[in-house]
Amino acid sequence: MAGNFDAYDNYSWYAGAMSRQEATDILMSTNETGVFLVRDSSTIIGDLVLCVREDNKVSHYIVNKIQEGDQVRYKIGENSFPDVPCLLNFYKLHYLDTTPLTTPVPRKLEKVKAKYDFDGSGDPDDLPFKKGEILTILSKDEEQWWTAKNSVGQKGSIPVPYVEKIDESRSLSPAGCGSSRASPNFHSSKELNKYNTPNIQRKLPAYAKVIHPRVPNAYDSTALKLEVADIIKVTNIHQSGQWEGELRGKHGFFPFTHIEFIDSENTEDHES
């Protein structure tokens, strides 16, 4: 029986960065064969993995992204397709191993609350919102940009530092920076420095406490490693959201979402 899902609604089936085990656990929690999701490959950047519940197991099919001249193709086994929706539509009608695709696995949607106003600066791909507005996350496409929808169903990209998560107990925590990357041809990469970070009036240098740990990329010599409760000397605030500071004798960059200023104006108390 052919699946009845909309293959062009990538929000329904694209899971972004997800481990093999996490995908297996999600699909094994269902009782229906043919239920599926598509996740990023954890080994080859740009490739995808089609994960499908088949009988009493979950199969993980590699989808290779191949550049052919000026065109991109998505290949699974011996079959090649111009885009992922075409691939999914094909396997609505054809068996992978023991089943065709029937429906994307239902996933719990995450909600966030806006910490600041965001006007989108006229970019049609953005989703403007006001401080306090509740948004539903559809996909975590990039480190600084996620896709969300508002209460009236409008969809678009939102800057991660401007929102905070709402957990199951309805308490709030910073959204932080995810490890997800953009899925092929779904979103164009964006830079956060197109927009102003929240206007924080603070005489610099100023001291702040680290509230979220951060281990930077080993190849980024300009980034600071942050540990919770570290006291960092903030020396410069940039519109990109990457601020400058000094920590343990090193000068470098860090995301402003990982710190909170210390209220004391007596900065000498924090000199080390």
Side-chain angles (χ1 to χ4, degrees), residues 24-73:
T24 298
D25 291 344
I26 290 173
L27 291 167
M28 287 301 292
S29 68
T30 69
N31 295 318
E32 183 181 351
T33 58
V35 173
F36 71 97
L37 61 82
V38 178
R39 61 181 173 87
D40 293 330
S41 169
S42 59
T43 55
I44 303 177
I45 295 177
D47 283 1
L48 300 170
V49 182
L50 173 60
C51 308
V52 188
R53 172 71 186 266
E54 297 191 274
D55 296 330
N56 293 318
K57 67 175 183 179
V58 173
S59 299
H60 301 262
Y61 298 95
I62 297 295
V63 179
N64 299 120
K65 181 182 179 183
I66 301 172
Q67 189 76 36
E68 297 181 349
D70 58 352
Q71 294 184 335
V72 173
R73 304 284 295 181

Side-chain angles (χ1 to χ4, degrees), residues 1 11 27-29 44 62 67-68 86 96-97 107 114 123 129 161 163 170 182 186 211 244 253 257:
M1 180 178 177
Y11 302 117
L27 291 167
M28 287 301 292
S29 68
I44 303 177
I62 297 295
Q67 189 76 36
E68 297 181 349
C86 285
L96 287 148
D97 183 9
R107 289 185 291 129
D123 190 326
F129 53 79
V163 300
R170 304 193 67 79
F186 299 160
I211 57 175
E244 290 182 67
F253 294 85
T257 53

Side-chain angles (χ1 to χ4, degrees), residues 141-154:
D141 313 291
E142 303 182 24
E143 183 177 4
Q144 296 285 356
W145 292 92
W146 293 348
T147 299
K149 68 176 180 180
N150 58 22
S151 59
V152 296
Q154 296 172 318

Side-chain angles (χ1 to χ4, degrees), residues 1-4 91-93 95 99-102:
M1 180 178 177
N4 59 1
Y91 286 107
K92 276 185 181 182
L93 304 173
Y95 278 60
T99 181
L101 301 178
T102 57

Side-chain angles (χ1 to χ4, degrees), residues 3 23 25 31 68 72 89 109 170 188 193 212 236 239 244 264:
D25 291 344
N31 295 318
E68 297 181 349
V72 173
N89 278 329
L109 294 177
R170 304 193 67 79
S188 59
N193 60 12
H212 298 289
N236 208 342
Q239 293 182 351
E244 290 182 67
S264 173

